[in-house]
Amino acid sequence: MNRRRFLTTLNAAAATGLAGCGTEETAEAVPRVGPDGFTVSSDGTRVPFRIRGVNVGMSKPGHFPGDAAITHEEYARWFRAIDDLNANAVRVYTIHPPAFYRALAAHNRDAADPLYLFQGTWLPVADLVAAGDATATSPSFRRALRRTVDVVHGATTLPDRPGRASGTYDADVSDYLLGYVAGVEWPPAVVRATNEAGTDGSYSGQFLETQGASPFEGWLAESLDALVAHETETYGTQRPVAFTNWPTTDPLDHPYEPFPGEDSVSVDPDAVRATAAFDAGTFAAYHAYPYYPDFLNESPDYVTYVDHRGEPNSYAGYLADLVGSTDQPLLVAEFGVPSSRGIAHEQVHGRDHGNHTEREQGRLLRGMYEDVLAAGTLGGLVFAWQDEWFKRTWNVADYSLPSRRPQWANRQSPEECYGLLAFDPAGRVRLDGTAADWADAQTATTTAPQTPVGDGADGARRLTSLAVTHDAAALSIRLEFEALPAPVDWSATNAVLTLGFTGRGNETLPWRTEAAVPPTDFVVRLGGPGDSRVLVDTYYDVFAREYGVAADLDLARYREPAGDRFGPIRLAVNRGYTVPPTGESVPFQSVETGRLRYGNANPASSAYDSLADVHVAPEADAVELRLPWGLLNVADPSSRQVLGDVWTGGLDDAEEISGIDIAAATYAPDGNGDARPVGGSTNLTHALPTIRDGRLGTVEYTWEAWNEPAYEERTKRSYAILRDAFAAAAGR
């Protein structure tokens, strides 16, 4: 088969998809796919078309996807930005509201080059799991497939349905349809149950048939045949078809996969074939990420695979095997990495599931797209165009209220942060020292006397004010000092903050400060870059509650509500497993997510660091920090709910609070991070708002609840990097 050679030697003109020479196959102005890839019509000539695209979700802040809340204006703006990205295709997973198709049709009427469409048909995973045997969902799935065809052709009205788009679909975008991609990432248990319930996967339809198929593959063939039949009979035309697939159900064997469910059953695209009556063509569509499943980290052939750059690259190794596993042309329908603060899994070559800056996200996306092309695929679709606040991630999902997730941005959750388009909360501080950002903040000053040390750094330890504000993503705090040197000498000055939410926290400040505090759930130590972190009262440590046994923690320390203990805030990134062929034990792993990163978090700055938590501004005698709500056990800031007594009530026991009790203090460190004795009632050198009888006073910060978050759209730094990569792939 010459498909790989053909696709990897496309010249620059052909790669644009709408310019250059090709072999004339037909004058019909609709896309087709064959062994050598997609072709589209340009001036009556068929030209090859390599995919450079993005997946567009159906959510925006404040709304679940089923609300179908994105407006025509928003779609139109997004299509212009996607066009400027040098993309040539978008994919949607389900039927969007009529505004999507109207906006796409309008964009393509005016654009020099159109944006092509991959249209999905969603089958709710919960319905599949409940049914067990997928064939039980056939009536509803086929109705959905027929509706999808009618929507694309602009010839239907869908009634109001809970959780679904509805309205009059009068925009025909079928000329721009590259293909239908039906279904979801198939749960292995459903595939297995379907195969066990059936006796034969043979299917001989008018347009699609099976060859050596399992019952599940036969069900897919029959379903897609019904789609093609409806489009052929109703509209007299055909478009390419595929079904969604992913590594968990690929046809390859992965002997190094430690979790049996991730390699227990296969769904083979080659089992479903076009008949002579279906000339639009079929293709394979895979979601493929570099960090999942774990065989990508453990298979020696992948870990040591040398890519086209001469570098080890497990992702490129997997793509090479995947392309080689099928006679179908293969589309990487999803690939990406998130620009989240939190992380959910580590990858052997650094393409982790989260904790990437926006620049790192862009560089990784560029490299992955190059890998996609080098593997000889049809191209790829980045996941995703926009961030999705409603999403959940396995290692933080239980710490938030499911019904309220769209109302706030959880930067600890990687699944929320895959987008090239960010939704920045309105009113956020830029974390660059700009005092004007704090104009509406709640402020407090100090009445406490200072304990001087006389080492020349007393001005840097004297607090003058505390400002507190918030947005839909974070609690922000600004400390101002009498005189901060440039640079700050952190060996002479440390600052601490205390945060009390529940009234159950510890009442002794750590670091040998010899100070008492009101009940405190979190403490923050600012000791300079590499030596600053947020610590949690051990009784309020949800990581210990969930993973303490796996992490081999002394849980007696965590279950005791009294004491003077604060510990690190951690995220689980690996549950631990045994590698089958070798018997090697990979232990449970976690990372300390409470560590604070210093930098400039203003997106307009050339020094912008999207992961910065702390900014030091000596010119303003100020230190600013933003603490993500998800780092602080806030289950929903929009309704002021935090996790409750996690050891007695569990993680579902959220409680509403009136506000947060906050105090600030400074001390002279001893070289190990602890406070030096300074001859006072405590070892603190200054405090805000007060300190009396060795006990810190606090101020309460509160805020109004909200039901509709205010936000601003912004393309991330990754957008510009990917734009250049797409331009290079297009020969521009």
Side-chain angles (χ1 to χ4, degrees):
M1 182 175 62
N2 66 358
R3 171 168 50 84
R4 183 192 298 266
R5 184 173 69 253
F6 176 86
L7 288 172
T8 54
T9 57
L10 280 176
N11 60 39
T16 66
L18 289 176
C21 299
T23 301
E24 184 171 357
E25 298 174 356
T26 174
E28 187 181 358
V30 295
R32 289 288 182 262
V33 67
D36 293 330
F38 281 105
T39 60
V40 297
S41 179
S42 178
D43 298 325
T45 300
R46 308 299 302 181
V47 296
F49 192 84
R50 183 79 70 86
I51 307 304
R52 310 181 303 273
V54 295
N55 288 272
V56 179
M58 213 165 81
S59 73
K60 65 180 184 180
H63 295 276
F64 285 101
D67 296 339
I70 303 170
T71 66
H72 185 283
E73 179 185 5
E74 289 167 327
Y75 281 126
R77 183 168 62 248
W78 295 357
F79 290 146
R80 290 192 296 271
I82 293 169
D83 192 26
D84 290 343
L85 183 66
N86 295 309
N88 58 19
V90 296
R91 176 191 176 207
V92 293
Y93 301 95
T94 189
I95 295 170
H96 277 235
F100 172 89
Y101 304 93
R102 292 170 185 161
L104 181 62
H107 175 86
N108 285 345
R109 282 195 298 269
D110 298 333
D113 296 329
L115 283 174
Y116 283 85
L117 173 66
F118 287 98
Q119 175 65 55
T121 301
W122 185 260
L123 182 60
V125 173
D127 293 353
L128 277 170
V129 172
D133 179 354
T135 62
T137 68
S138 293
S140 61
F141 189 36
R142 290 177 193 174
R143 282 195 300 272
L145 291 169
R146 289 193 296 271
R147 280 195 297 264
T148 300
V149 172
D150 295 337
V151 161
V152 166
H153 286 271
T156 190
T157 296
L158 299 182
D160 289 340
R161 297 170 297 154
R164 301 287 190 275
S166 61
T168 298
Y169 291 82
D170 51 14
D172 185 350
V173 296
S174 59
D175 283 350
Y176 308 110
L177 184 72
L178 283 172
Y180 297 100
V181 183
V184 297
E185 295 174 340
W186 307 111
V190 172
V191 177
R192 191 179 308 108
T194 306
N195 290 341
E196 291 171 353
T199 57
D200 186 8
S202 298
Y203 176 75
S204 180
Q206 183 178 0
F207 303 103
L208 291 168
E209 60 187 9
T210 60
Q211 181 174 350
S214 68
F216 187 85
E217 292 158 350
W219 172 74
L220 285 172
E222 189 172 0
S223 300
L224 291 175
D225 190 54
L227 180 153
V228 177
H230 179 60
E231 186 168 45
T232 304
E233 295 163 4
T234 308
Y235 302 102
T237 189
Q238 298 172 347
R239 296 298 185 276
V241 297
F243 57 83
T244 302
N245 213 344
W246 60 323
T248 295
T249 54
D250 70 22
L252 295 164
D253 291 327
H254 302 293
Y256 285 84
E257 172 54 50
F259 297 101
E262 299 292 353
D263 194 40
S264 62
V265 67
S266 295
V267 182
D268 189 352
D270 287 1
V272 181
R273 297 177 175 269
T275 69
F278 183 46
D279 62 357
T282 60
F283 60 101
Y286 278 91
H287 299 175
Y289 293 84
Y291 44 76
Y292 174 84
D294 282 291
F295 66 72
L296 290 165
N297 274 349
E298 300 299 340
S299 301
D301 288 348
Y302 293 156
V303 173
T304 61
Y305 184 88
V306 177
D307 65 17
H308 62 285
R309 307 175 191 87
E311 300 173 356
N313 186 339
S314 65
Y315 185 65
Y318 175 67
L319 291 178
D321 270 6
L322 195 62
V323 169
S325 73
T326 178
D327 291 331
Q328 302 264 20
L330 188 147
L331 173 71
V332 180
E334 275 190 21
F335 71 95
V337 291
S339 62
S340 57
R341 186 185 187 282
I343 182 173
H345 204 51
E346 294 179 326
Q347 195 258 357
V348 64
H349 295 128
R351 291 167 164 173
D352 301 331
H353 189 187
N355 198 229
H356 299 294
T357 68
E358 291 177 9
R359 284 189 178 92
E360 290 168 347
Q361 180 192 39
R363 290 193 289 267
L364 291 171
L365 290 176
R366 178 181 61 199
M368 293 169 69
Y369 186 65
E370 292 168 353
D371 294 341
V372 165
L373 298 186
T377 70
L378 296 168
L381 296 154
V382 171
F383 184 83
W385 167 243
Q386 80 268 36
D387 281 348
E388 298 178 294
W389 289 9
F390 79 95
K391 286 287 188 71
R392 63 194 298 273
T393 306
W394 70 273
N395 60 350
V396 296
D398 292 337
Y399 310 153
S400 60
L401 299 184
S403 64
R404 301 290 298 179
R405 287 190 186 121
Q407 304 302 329
W408 62 289
N410 187 356
R411 302 307 188 203
Q412 293 295 101
S413 176
E415 291 294 321
E416 293 193 15
C417 303
Y418 277 94
L420 301 171
L421 182 73
F423 298 116
D424 290 335
R428 71 197 183 284
V429 297
R430 288 170 286 184
L431 214 65
D432 67 349
T434 303
D437 287 358
W438 302 84
D440 296 328
Q442 178 179 319
T443 60
T445 56
T446 181
T447 60
Q450 183 177 13
T451 301
V453 177
D455 59 356
D458 286 330
R461 290 189 289 263
R462 180 172 179 82
L463 297 163
T464 59
S465 73
L466 168 74
V468 187
T469 187
H470 75 281
D471 55 55
L475 176 73
S476 297
I477 300 172
R478 176 181 168 109
L479 288 175
E480 293 187 357
F481 300 78
E482 183 177 88
L484 277 184
V488 174
D489 182 0
W490 294 104
S491 69
T493 301
N494 276 196
V496 299
L497 291 163
T498 69
L499 306 174
F501 294 82
T502 68
R504 291 184 295 271
N506 280 321
E507 298 187 45
T508 302
L509 194 66
W511 305 299
R512 297 185 180 177
T513 57
E514 305 299 331
V517 292
T520 295
D521 298 297
F522 296 91
V523 291
V524 182
R525 173 171 170 260
L526 299 175
D531 199 19
S532 299
R533 54 177 37 84
V534 185
L535 301 178
V536 62
D537 169 20
T538 51
Y539 187 70
Y540 202 36
D541 187 340
V542 294
F543 174 86
R545 168 69 169 74
E546 286 296 281
Y547 302 106
V549 173
D552 198 25
L553 301 180
D554 178 6
L555 291 184
R557 293 185 58 241
Y558 295 85
R559 291 194 178 102
E560 173 56 52
D564 59 355
R565 299 181 296 271
F566 287 92
I569 303 175
R570 290 161 287 201
L571 282 176
V573 296
N574 179 10
R575 297 178 186 273
Y577 54 79
T578 300
V579 182
T582 65
E584 177 190 0
S585 177
V586 177
F588 175 92
Q589 293 173 306
S590 66
V591 298
E592 185 182 352
T593 188
R595 290 181 175 271
L596 298 176
R597 178 168 171 146
Y598 283 57
N600 185 315
N602 183 355
S605 171
S606 61
Y608 174 56
D609 180 347
S610 61
L611 295 183
D613 302 304
V614 181
H615 180 75
V616 181
E619 71 282 0
D621 295 315
V623 176
E624 302 172 341
L625 64 158
R626 281 171 56 82
L627 301 175
W629 293 119
L631 188 67
L632 303 175
N633 289 0
V634 177
D636 173 37
S638 69
S639 60
R640 293 201 311 270
Q641 294 192 70
V642 302
L643 296 180
D645 190 331
V646 298
W647 290 101
T648 61
L651 298 177
D652 296 329
D653 186 24
E655 56 191 35
E656 185 175 350
I657 60 172
S658 62
I660 306 169
D661 295 323
I662 303 176
T666 60
Y667 66 84
D670 65 359
N672 296 314
D674 292 330
R676 289 160 44 193
V678 293
S681 61
T682 72
N683 291 330
L684 298 175
T685 53
H686 203 211
L688 189 158
T690 62
I691 185 166
R692 291 191 181 92
D693 300 323
R695 185 178 181 85
L696 279 174
T698 61
V699 294
E700 184 183 45
Y701 177 74
T702 190
W703 65 95
E704 294 294 325
W706 69 84
N707 285 314
E708 192 68 33
Y711 62 92
E712 301 165 352
E713 294 181 359
R714 174 181 60 84
T715 54
K716 299 180 184 178
R717 292 296 173 92
S718 52
Y719 173 94
I721 296 171
L722 188 64
R723 179 181 59 203
D724 292 344
F726 279 177
R732 296 174 182 168

